Structures are given as structure tokens and as C-alpha cells.
Amino acid sequence: MDNNQEGGNTALPMAFEHTELPVSDHGCIRLLILDDPFRDSNVINCWLETYTLTECPEYYALSYTWGNPFGSNTLDEAYSGTYSIYIDSKSYMVRKNLHDALLQLRRSHADSYLWVDAICIWQANLQERNSQVAMMDQIYEKAAKVLIWLGVGDADTASVVQLIARIASLPLTVDHVLSDGFFGLPAHDSPVWYSLVDFFRKSYFQRIWVLQENAFAKDALVYCGAVSFPARQLWDASRLLRTTNLCSDLMAMNQDSGDAALDLVQTGMGAFTIYSLNQLCRAASGNESFDGFCGIVSDSNENEIQANACRVAPGDKSFEGFCGIVSDTNDKLIHANAATVIRVLVAITQSFAATDPRDRIFALLNIVKRVVEMRGLDPLPVSADYTKTPQEVCIHLMTLILERNAWLGYLAFVPGKTTHGLPNLPSWVKDLTTRSTQPFMWIQSTQHTPRFNAGKVFHSKGQDFKINGSRLHLVTWQIPLFNAVTVFPYSWQDFQINGNRLHLKAWQLDTISDLGDTESDITECGEFEDVAKVILRCPAIYKTSQDRVEVLWRTLLSDQTVHNYPAPARLAQSFSAFLKYRLFTGIERVGENDQDLASYLRARPNLDILAQADHTRIFAGFRRVREELAECVGPADDAGTAVSMYVKRLAGEMQFFSDAFSRVAAGRRLFRTKSGWLGLGSQYLQVGDSVWIFAAARTPYALRKVADEAAGVYELAGEVYVHGAMHGEPLGDGEPEWENIVLH
């Protein structure tokens, strides 16, 4: 599609073709110059000049998204077409969002030198593409300014930018918005807050490449149409939105007044991640003192970012916290290395999108290089190589992480083969095209010391795993989760990797016999019947001498909150309110037809059976909910108002449990094993899957037998939590009889 052609002249211009860049030790780049906009307002004319990085003139580097900038599918078709620009009077096709950016920049930066990846890199030349990607840290760092293009503006752009500037000026010590007009902010029901939500939903804040482009920027200017403002305001505003109670207070005020729902949960998330990685790299370069880089960890719902205060200024030893370094029982730290850094960066950026799955790694390599140089670590032996398939990149990265860290903890980020989008990928390799649930080790804790050690990590003996071909060979033993393996003498480097196969030691705990409702069934549909059925098959007193209902709610949280392990006992009442609220939503979904409701309740008998058998009265069934609803409506009360107040009270009481549950249980479900262990694992678990402990892992895993394969060959079915087995209790004091197994 060429929207620039005009009638009268049917001759098509010649197509522009790149020529090879000169070879230089200092690296060569092309720079773009836009022609005077007043000569022809309907056509973009420009030309390219070649320079070495050390001798180039002052230039500006553009940061933008190639596709639809608005984060909505409604405009995808409009932004999928191409438009002609003219380089040296020859036609060159670019996408609409870049065309829009160039129209603006030729007004604001006419006759300036620009670096634009889609034009300045010969994209079809893989060798050049590889070398230019490797130089992008230098390209963006050397730029006089990085120009951030968010797309064309609209009627709300100016007011949103003013609000961003106001938020950015607030002190970080502000904790609560006490009333409308507080700190000069708009009223909670002002339309500008909804516009702010839409602003931060722009695609720019969700694309993987913009992380690197901003990480190395010395200075940046944001363009939203013709409106421009300093990027520092955007980053400061996002930091305040993510680290104070501003968003939650505004949403609460909005809800209390009955206004249209204001969803600020994710607002500023992507921008805050961009800001944080910029601070990491600026600190690494020594150009800026930084004392607040956050070890960003996405929660299991991808709905928020938790900031674990983690200093990474040069020379600060708490950098190990950023790398997710864990201490063993002797408080000896595993040494940080480049594979650790890339592991953490991949984990914290998994909510960012990439059209090419390889870019999920390639876009982070220069950030890793900067951190590694800062810490004096050995470099990461990975480079941007677009001749490799996505599968080869995934396998290579996984092998590096396992080898360099000498433990299997990263397997916790691999949900199993069922979730793989890439074909022919081993089940134990993380698929970079899909998001994974947050591992149990890092879901809740703000501490650097791990809460679980099921495999008695760092103290196992013998050859625990090796990689051979596309198979992971382990020595395992099957038990419940978290610290399932007790401490045994262990030789760290006693394993080998051959090709794509990893061999390990493992111990089998048990086989899964029953499955409960998934987290989405519980939260979206109010379903709890299968959970009740599972619990009724457990003895009243569990293996840990705890009541089975207590074990239930603890297992659904992996027995932890952000600040507490084990979870505090007061969560029991919050769980009870959570259960009542979900059952009420289930009843409400059925409607007012008595026959439909009776049929719905008859199909779910186990809830009332378990509630009646529960002497603690924590577990509630439909009968309890209906009784409490009847009690809350007095003779003179309006039924609708009374019910609304009852539900609102439950919503408040359940929040403590609900927040923890949403972090832990997303994408997971309850299970029971044949011998009575209760656990939490992937929603894709199947009856017949087995639960194992690996000698070099802190949490247990579910495995699935592979059809038509020899005994001892399995597929990974994801990390699991097993209540009462997370610290090696089933293993006893002696060393278990490890089995050599293979993960396909």
C-alpha cells in the first residue's frame, strides 16, 4: 500500500537498496537525514550517510514500535500496511507508525542526523543485522538524545502529559491520597485518570527492544504526536505509581463512589521496568549514582511488579540479590555469573512482547554485557545470531544457565511441554514464546534467602544431572515440595552436558490420584466442588498433624505470603470469607430461576458435606452462605441493600487471602497423591503424573511418562508444592536411593 502516490505520473521510482557497510574496528553505522519539510509536505525525502561510531556527527536515535502503537487490535490492519519514503530519490517502504514518526521528526528535527533501525540497518542481510544488534548499546548510548515515539496523539494527549508531569513532581514519600485535590491531583472521577490508563497501555511499554534502547540512553525526549516532554517525567511518574499507594487509593475512592471501574492495577508497569533497567545500566557505566534499582519480579498474574529493594551501584555487594542468588545452609553464596544475570532478566521481562522469539534473548544481551563488565564477571557466550532457529536459541540458553549455575532451580520457570508454543522443544527447556507462572521460590518472598530446599541443594553427592541430545537425565526421588531434600554431601560440578540431553538424579515421592478445580475456575466461576471432593478423601488430620482444612488453605498459598513463611494463622478467616464470596458469585451466575439453582446445588454436594464435617467452621458450603444471607436481611431491611452490604463485607475480609492466592495459584490447581500428600501444581497436571525431588533443586516437580519410550524417560509437567515435604521431611536423615532418569 503506497499512500504517497499522486495522479499524473505513473512511472514507478527505483527501489532503494542498501550496500554493505565498510569494515572498521570501530564499527560503522548509517545515519539518516530528513529533507526540509516545506519543500514538499506530502513526501518524505531523506538520504543516508555512513560513519564510524568514533567519528560520527551528533545524532538522535529513534525508539518506537514497528506495529500498531496503541495496544489495541482494532487498528492492526491500518498499521500493517507499508508507506513509501524516498532515500536518495529511490523508494523505500516503511510501516505506518514509523512513517508517522518521520512526518513529525522532519518538523522538529529537520536537517538533523537520525539513527532509525528499520532504515539504517540492512535488515535482509543477516550478517549485518547480527553485527548492528551487537552494537546497539553503543549506538543508543552515544546518541545526543533518544527520541521516544509513542504514536500520533489525540484530544486527551495534552491533559495526560500534564498529569504525568504533576505525578512526577510528587515526593516519593507520599503514601496515601486522602481526598480529591490532594497534592493538586485531579478528582478521582476525572476522565483524565481513564486517559492515563489508556496512555500506559500503548504498545511501546510492552515491547522487548525498547528496554535496551532506553537502558543506555543518556537523555530522552518523548513524542506523542506533536506533544513532547522529557522522558524523565515519564519514568519518575511510573516509579511513583508503582511504589506508592496512589493507584490503590484512587481505585478505592472510585469504587466507594460507585463510578465506572478505574483499573490502575497495571498502570506504569512497563514504564517502570524500562526506567529500572536504565538505572541499572547508568549505574554500571559510572555516570550516575544509583541507590534504588529494584530486582523486579512479575507476579504470577502479570498484574503488578513487586520491587525488592536491591542496590546495584558499583561495588555494592547486594547486587547478588538482583541476581536472585540464594544461600545454602552454610550461608555460602553461589557466585554471580552472566548466566545468572540473563536468567533474572528473562524472568522479569517475560511480560514484554517480541514478534521474533529469539529477540527475547537478543534484546537483553547488551544489558547483560554491561552488568557483567561492571561486576568483573566472565562474559556470556551468546551473541545475536539470526541464522539459529528459535529452538536452538532456547536450548543453548537453558544449557548455559544450568551449567553455569550448577543447579536445576531454573526448571521452575518451565511449565512443561503442554504449554510449549515452539514445536520439537524438549520439555525441560523454557519456551521463550510463552509466559510461565512465577516459581514457588520467588512468588511471595522479598528476602534473598530461599524458603524451600526440597532437594537439599548444594549438598547432594554424585552425578546429579547431565544433558545429552534433547534429553535431560536426572537422579530423582519423589516427595512433596519446597525443601524436600535434606542436606547431603554434594559435589557441585559433578555433571556433564552432551548436546541437548540432561541426565539427573531424582527420587520419586508418589503418584497423583486426584485433581481439584483450577484457579480460573475458582476465581471466575466460583467453582470449588472438586477441591472439596479432594479434601474429603483426606483424613481429618494430615501428615503434619494439622487439620485438613487448614492444610487446604495453606497449600493453596504454598503456605507463604510476601512477608511470612509459614503463612499466618489469621489467614484462615480470610480464606473463609474468600470461599463464601466465590460461592456467592457462583450462585449469582445461575440467576433467579429456582429450578436452575436447585439443579446447580445438587451437582455440587461435597461443599456442604465438607462444611458440615469441619469442626473449625472455616470451610463454608452453600448452606452456610444462604443462612448468612438470610440473617443479614431484617424485617425492615431492603433485601438488595442488605445483600450488597454482606457481599461488600466479604470482599473486604477476603482481601488478605485473595491477594496471596492470586499470586501463587494463577495457572495452577490442587492435587492429591495416592498416599495422601496435598500439593499445588500446573493446571495441566493429569491423574497418573508422578511427583519427584531432584538432587539439585529446591522444589519438587511433576513428571509424565513418555509413551513408547523406555522406563525412566519422562516429560517435565512443571514445578509443584507439596505440603509437609518442602524441607526434605520424606527423605529422612539418610541419603535416598537416587534414580537416574531422563527428561525428554
Side-chain angles (χ1 to χ4, degrees):
M1 177 177 65
D2 183 356
N3 287 18
N4 294 323
Q5 293 182 13
E6 299 179 358
N9 182 8
T10 59
L12 295 176
M14 293 179 60
F16 174 81
E17 295 183 357
H18 290 84
T19 58
E20 290 191 8
L21 286 168
V23 177
S24 170
D25 293 338
H26 302 292
C28 286
I29 61 172
R30 300 181 186 90
L31 293 178
L32 174 74
I33 306 171
L34 293 170
D35 202 357
D36 186 342
F38 299 105
R39 196 175 78 175
D40 187 342
S41 60
N42 295 319
V43 177
I44 295 177
N45 290 293
C46 55
W47 63 92
L48 290 173
E49 295 180 2
T50 301
Y51 297 91
T52 64
L53 263 178
T54 56
E55 298 177 352
C56 61
E58 181 180 85
Y59 66 91
Y60 301 88
L62 183 64
S63 177
Y64 68 105
T65 61
W66 282 34
N68 178 4
F70 297 109
S72 169
N73 295 330
T74 56
L75 295 174
D76 279 352
E77 184 175 351
Y79 278 89
S80 63
T82 55
Y83 289 66
S84 286
I85 64 171
Y86 296 91
I87 305 175
D88 297 332
S89 300
K90 297 178 181 178
S91 176
Y92 188 78
M93 308 305 292
V94 298
R95 294 190 180 186
K96 176 173 170 51
N97 192 41
L98 176 54
H99 190 267
D100 291 342
L102 294 176
L103 285 174
Q104 171 58 42
L105 294 180
R106 71 174 185 173
R107 301 185 187 97
S108 58
H109 290 77
D111 298 325
S112 295
Y113 287 93
L114 301 172
W115 189 87
V116 182
D117 60 352
I119 300 173
C120 297
I121 297 177
W122 186 0
Q123 297 290 336
N125 186 321
L126 291 184
Q127 183 176 356
E128 177 178 316
R129 189 175 166 194
N130 291 342
S131 64
Q132 291 282 291
V133 166
M135 294 169 53
M136 283 177 68
D137 57 334
Q138 303 171 63
I139 293 172
Y140 278 91
E141 189 167 34
K142 190 173 176 59
K145 268 191 177 74
V146 170
L147 306 178
I148 298 171
W149 174 255
L150 299 181
V152 295
D154 57 28
D156 299 323
T157 298
S159 59
V160 170
V161 170
Q162 290 176 1
L163 177 57
I164 288 172
R166 184 70 193 119
I167 295 172
S169 70
L170 298 179
L172 282 173
T173 53
V174 62
D175 196 25
H176 288 284
V177 179
L178 303 178
S179 61
D180 282 343
F182 195 67
F183 278 100
L185 293 172
H188 71 276
D189 57 351
S190 170
V192 72
W193 290 112
Y194 299 90
S195 298
L196 182 72
V197 172
D198 291 337
F199 179 89
F200 278 109
R201 285 176 177 164
K202 291 180 183 295
S203 299
Y204 186 87
F205 303 114
Q206 304 164 23
R207 303 298 295 181
I208 193 76
W209 276 112
V210 305
L211 294 172
Q212 175 182 238
E213 294 163 4
N214 285 278
F216 298 101
K218 294 179 296 188
D219 192 11
L221 186 66
V222 180
Y223 278 92
C224 192
V227 178
S228 63
F229 62 100
R232 186 72 196 192
Q233 291 182 352
L234 182 61
W235 311 143
D236 287 348
S238 69
R239 185 181 183 188
L240 188 133
L241 289 169
R242 301 316 312 162
T243 59
T244 70
N245 291 312
L246 175 63
C247 290
S248 58
D249 286 352
L250 286 167
M251 287 190 295
M253 293 166 66
N254 184 274
Q255 184 178 16
D256 289 343
S257 62
D259 295 318
L262 177 63
D263 183 8
L264 290 166
V265 172
Q266 298 187 46
T267 300
M269 249 179 62
F272 182 57
T273 306
I274 296 169
Y275 158 80
S276 298
L277 292 181
N278 172 269
Q279 295 300 288
L280 172 65
C281 291
R282 299 307 297 161
S285 68
N287 295 335
E288 185 174 328
S289 175
F290 178 67
D291 62 358
F293 175 76
C294 296
I296 304 165
V297 181
S298 300
D299 74 4
S300 54
N301 283 327
E302 303 284 336
N303 281 337
E304 65 180 300
I305 294 177
Q306 294 179 347
N308 299 328
C310 176
R311 300 167 59 94
V312 293
D316 192 334
K317 292 183 178 179
S318 64
F319 163 81
E320 280 77 4
F322 160 74
C323 290
I325 304 303
V326 292
S327 302
D328 68 10
T329 54
N330 294 322
D331 294 324
K332 296 177 181 177
L333 289 174
I334 305 173
H335 295 297
N337 57 66
T340 306
V341 178
I342 190 69
R343 169 178 66 81
V344 174
L345 288 175
V346 169
I348 67 179
T349 61
Q350 67 172 341
S351 62
F352 285 77
T355 303
D356 187 331
R358 296 169 294 188
D359 287 340
R360 300 199 57 78
I361 300 300
F362 296 164
L364 301 174
L365 293 180
N366 285 322
I367 299 176
V368 174
K369 182 176 71 174
R370 179 58 56 86
V371 174
V372 164
E373 290 172 350
M374 173 184 75
R375 303 304 301 180
L377 305 175
D378 291 335
L380 186 72
V382 179
S383 60
D385 184 354
Y386 288 96
T387 65
K388 290 186 176 180
T389 66
Q391 290 86 341
E392 289 174 325
V393 173
C394 290
I395 293 171
H396 182 48
L397 177 68
M398 194 74 183
T399 299
L400 276 175
I401 290 173
L402 295 179
E403 277 189 320
R404 294 296 181 91
N405 290 285
W407 71 300
L408 299 176
Y410 193 64
L411 291 178
F413 286 93
V414 185
K417 197 173 184 67
T418 307
T419 64
H420 281 177
L422 290 175
N424 304 318
L425 197 65
S427 67
W428 53 273
V429 173
K430 178 172 173 55
D431 183 351
L432 297 175
T433 66
T434 60
R435 299 179 185 180
S436 59
T437 53
Q438 187 72 0
F440 289 113
M441 287 280 293
W442 297 287
I443 286 175
Q444 302 279 20
S445 179
T446 58
Q447 306 168 4
H448 302 322
T449 302
R451 289 175 169 175
F452 309 114
N453 191 14
K456 303 185 178 181
V457 169
F458 313 154
H459 296 84
S460 182
K461 181 171 64 178
Q463 185 171 340
D464 295 316
F465 68 91
K466 65 179 179 178
I467 296 175
N468 182 20
S470 62
R471 295 187 176 184
L472 174 67
H473 298 258
L474 313 91
V475 175
T476 68
W477 54 280
Q478 189 172 359
I479 74 164
L481 313 174
F482 287 124
N483 189 5
V485 185
T486 50
V487 176
F488 303 115
Y490 178 86
S491 174
W492 263 106
Q493 299 299 332
D494 195 11
F495 68 90
Q496 66 179 30
I497 296 176
N498 294 319
N500 298 333
R501 297 188 177 188
L502 176 59
H503 304 253
L504 307 94
K505 298 176 181 177
W507 185 89
Q508 185 175 4
L509 170 67
D510 207 353
T511 301
I512 293 175
S513 59
D514 301 283
L515 296 171
D517 305 280
T518 66
E519 177 269 341
S520 60
D521 287 338
I522 292 172
T523 56
E524 297 173 15
C525 306
E527 290 292 351
F528 231 91
E529 173 68 8
D530 288 344
V531 169
K533 189 183 302 182
V534 168
I535 300 305
L536 283 170
R537 291 176 179 173
C538 297
I541 301 301
Y542 188 68
K543 298 173 182 288
T544 56
S545 300
Q546 295 167 301
D547 181 87
R548 62 185 177 184
V549 172
E550 178 183 357
V551 173
L552 166 62
W553 67 257
R554 289 187 179 278
T555 300
L556 291 175
L557 303 181
S558 64
D559 202 15
Q560 57 178 326
T561 65
V562 171
H563 300 292
N564 300 104
Y565 174 71
R570 66 181 184 276
L571 270 165
Q573 293 299 328
S574 184
F575 164 71
S576 186
F578 172 85
L579 178 55
K580 294 173 187 176
Y581 183 91
R582 295 303 173 196
L583 295 183
F584 175 82
T585 60
I587 294 174
E588 197 173 39
R589 289 177 69 251
V590 176
E592 299 180 359
N593 185 287
D594 291 341
Q595 187 173 354
D596 290 344
L597 179 59
S599 177
Y600 179 82
L601 298 179
R602 281 196 303 271
R604 294 159 178 79
N606 290 294
L607 288 155
D608 284 329
I609 294 172
L610 180 57
Q612 187 173 1
D614 178 26
H615 70 280
T616 67
R617 291 186 61 80
I618 295 299
F619 196 91
F622 289 114
R623 184 177 303 160
R624 176 95 53 83
V625 172
R626 298 176 76 183
E627 288 173 354
E628 292 183 0
L629 281 170
E631 291 172 1
C632 74
V633 181
D637 294 333
D638 175 73
T641 302
V643 170
S644 178
M645 292 180 62
Y646 170 75
V647 174
K648 187 174 182 179
R649 176 175 63 80
L650 290 180
E653 293 175 355
M654 77 172 190
Q655 201 62 48
F656 188 19
F657 180 89
S658 181
D659 287 348
F661 179 74
S662 66
R663 286 188 174 90
V664 175
R668 295 185 166 112
R669 72 192 314 164
L670 188 78
F671 68 83
R672 176 182 175 273
T673 70
K674 288 182 178 180
S675 61
W677 294 101
L678 275 181
L680 190 68
S682 166
Q683 63 184 352
Y684 301 108
L685 287 177
Q686 298 176 8
V687 171
D689 291 345
S690 50
V691 180
W692 297 74
I693 289 180
F694 301 160
R698 289 187 174 272
T699 52
Y701 290 85
L703 303 181
R704 184 170 302 150
K705 290 183 178 179
V706 179
D708 302 324
E709 286 281 359
V713 179
Y714 298 87
E715 287 183 354
L716 186 67
E719 181 198 33
V720 294
Y721 167 90
V722 180
H723 192 73
M726 298 307 294
H727 297 275
E729 296 91 337
L731 297 180
D733 297 329
E735 184 171 359
E737 295 183 3
W738 302 104
E739 296 181 39
N740 292 308
I741 67 171
V742 179
L743 295 189
H744 189 273

